[in-house]
Amino acid sequence: MYKSKITGMGMYVPKRIVKNEELTKYMDTNDAWIRERTGIEERHWVQTGDGNTTSSMGTAAAKIALERAGLTPKDIDMIVFATLSPDYYFPGSGVLVQEQLGCDTIPALDVRNQCSGFVYALATADQFIKTGMYKNILVIGSEVQSTGLDLSTRGRGIAVIFGDGAGALVLSRNEDENDNSNILSSHLHSEGKYAKELTNLVPGGIHPPKELVENWPEDDFTYYPYMNGNFVFKHAVTRFPEAIMEGLNANNLTPQDINLLIPHQANLRISQFVQKRLGMKDEQIMNNIQKYGNTTAASIPIALTEAWEQGRIKRGDLVVLAAFGSGFTWGSNIIRF
Ligand code: UT7
């Protein structure tokens, strides 16, 4: 078995910044409610004509990660791409990145695990490195969510939360015996009985796109994302600590050993709850939802990249990634950086 090492990270967000105040133009909401309930102050949204798509932003983030890893697209053996907002119904966005970067005809795998997408994607890439099948894998999380939101007051419980953006990392085989950098373990879960508590039902196989243009009921808004906020919140505050403790226990570690916990940026109150529950200090946890909102599969690689750029992660640190979201799905990656 080989070790897997993160050798480069990058992030990309669209230029347009949407402050809470701007949202009051579209719906009945206010800055105080959004800050108090979610911690969010602003988010980045794509703008018509700016050319940003889920795949193009993923490619932009990947280019930075590659440069920092000292690699070129020709060195990459595989792409794992996590998103809930692919450019197309099919094919997935991974193949578009393969083309945009000019990689060889390497495999491109899309992961559909929403907010847990990046944790699942990294776990998947790690297996291919550990077994020796591949040497360098691009792991990408990218989302364009703003274009699918209900910006009326009806959709305010969701619309104020989500942001657009992308993050990427290069995972490489670590053959240096003296270098202990490694993905120590990953822990993944799902509970499909709650699939409809956080979902976008339409279009899909059950209600194909043509139904939307032929006799769609005027009062049916299931083509917008739906979230049972309180219900999701209650599960999140249980599953986050569970996934983190499962990972720590598997490696004989404790919350005090963590140098930086990077939770999926779902809600600042959820992260604060998790921090308190695990008895962790402020400097042990990364929060940047204030600036980006919830960017779903992109939130962890964006936060990871920003933490690294701010000097909050150095080689040898114990970094823990954890996520919970639609599915329900949840999980953690325990990383010796
Ligand atoms: O990333 C994947 C996982 N996602 C999560 O983990 C998110 C989990 N859930 C949450 O973060 C929170 O439930 C929300 C932020 C979505 C909502 O916060 P909440 O404290 O649970 O609020 P609520 O849904 O219970 O709504 C409280 C009140 C309601 O009004 P009434 O019925 O008390 O009069 C809502 O209509 O706040 C109202 N409300 C708003 N008011 C102003 C809901 N959205 C808004 C809004 N602006 N944007």
Side-chain angles (χ1 to χ4, degrees):
M1 288 278 257
Y2 291 98
K3 291 175 289 187
S4 309
K5 177 175 181 172
I6 297 171
T7 50
M9 285 169 275
M11 61 173 277
Y12 175 91
V13 288
K15 279 205 175 66
R16 179 183 171 205
I17 296 174
V18 176
K19 292 191 176 294
N20 292 344
E21 198 53 37
E22 183 181 336
L23 299 177
T24 64
K25 288 191 219 160
Y26 318 128
M27 64 192 85
D28 179 13
T29 189
N30 58 80
D31 179 54
W33 190 96
I34 301 171
R35 279 178 197 248
E36 202 176 293
R37 304 282 178 132
T38 70
I40 299 166
E41 295 165 21
E42 59 190 37
R43 74 285 291 140
H44 292 246
W45 280 0
V46 300
Q47 208 165 1
T48 311
D50 71 2
N52 285 311
T53 68
T54 294
S55 67
S56 78
M57 295 197 302
T59 296
K63 280 183 179 167
I64 298 167
L66 278 169
E67 197 187 322
R68 288 173 172 169
L71 297 174
T72 73
K74 298 286 178 203
D75 298 314
I76 295 299
D77 303 312
M78 184 187 197
I79 295 164
V80 186
F81 195 108
T83 189
L84 63 62
S85 51
D87 291 13
Y88 309 127
Y89 209 46
F90 70 85
S93 297
V95 298
L96 305 178
V97 171
Q98 180 271 334
E99 164 66 13
Q100 288 162 19
L101 280 177
C103 297
D104 292 332
T105 58
I106 57 171
L109 173 71
D110 272 43
V111 169
R112 296 291 310 274
N113 286 79
Q114 302 69 248
C115 298
S116 311
F118 198 80
V119 165
Y120 269 74
L122 184 59
T124 304
D126 180 41
Q127 308 313 306
F128 283 102
I129 301 273
K130 289 241 159 79
T131 57
M133 186 158 168
Y134 295 128
K135 266 191 171 173
N136 296 302
I137 302 181
L138 260 176
V139 189
I140 302 170
S142 181
E143 305 283 4
V144 173
Q145 307 187 99
S146 58
T147 51
L149 298 171
D150 179 356
L151 293 185
S152 72
T153 297
R154 190 181 49 232
R156 66 182 181 174
I158 284 208
V160 302
I161 297 174
F162 290 103
D164 302 336
L169 61 77
V170 178
L171 195 67
S172 303
R173 182 190 292 178
N174 177 6
E175 292 177 87
D176 183 350
E177 276 176 27
N178 302 314
D179 179 353
N180 64 356
S181 294
N182 195 10
I183 309 293
L184 300 178
S185 61
S186 295
H187 307 267
L188 309 174
H189 296 276
S190 74
E191 199 171 26
K193 74 175 165 185
Y194 298 128
K196 289 190 178 170
E197 304 297 342
L198 176 46
T199 187
N200 202 151
L201 292 173
V202 177
I206 296 173
H207 296 290
K210 71 170 184 174
E211 278 188 31
L212 280 172
V213 286
E214 291 170 7
N215 307 318
W216 190 255
E218 256 179 46
D219 58 350
D220 187 337
F221 299 102
T222 48
Y223 48 81
Y224 286 126
Y226 164 80
M227 174 164 69
N228 184 350
N230 281 304
F231 189 83
V232 175
F233 192 99
K234 281 179 194 145
H235 282 256
V237 294
T238 308
R239 296 306 192 185
F240 265 106
E242 254 180 41
I244 295 163
M245 286 312 299
E246 182 185 7
L248 291 173
N249 290 337
N251 293 284
N252 294 317
L253 295 163
T254 71
Q256 283 60 53
D257 295 318
I258 299 176
N259 294 99
L260 197 65
L261 169 65
I262 302 180
H264 159 54
Q265 306 288 301
N267 182 322
L268 189 61
R269 285 191 297 142
I270 294 177
S271 297
Q272 287 167 341
F273 188 95
V274 172
Q275 179 188 340
K276 206 170 159 199
R277 181 89 170 269
L278 299 179
M280 293 173 68
K281 300 188 188 108
D282 288 351
E283 57 267 30
Q284 285 181 285
I285 184 160
M286 178 70 188
N287 293 304
N288 66 0
I289 191 171
Q290 298 90 332
K291 289 192 294 177
Y292 303 110
N294 177 343
T295 57
T296 308
S299 92
I300 287 181
I302 288 175
L304 183 68
T305 302
E306 207 169 73
W308 178 80
E309 287 172 350
Q310 292 168 356
R312 291 184 67 181
I313 304 175
K314 56 183 188 320
R315 284 288 168 212
D317 278 358
L318 183 71
V319 176
V320 173
L321 315 182
F324 173 85
S326 164
F328 290 155
T329 57
W330 64 99
S332 63
N333 313 107
I334 312 297
I335 304 168
R336 182 61 67 192
F337 191 76

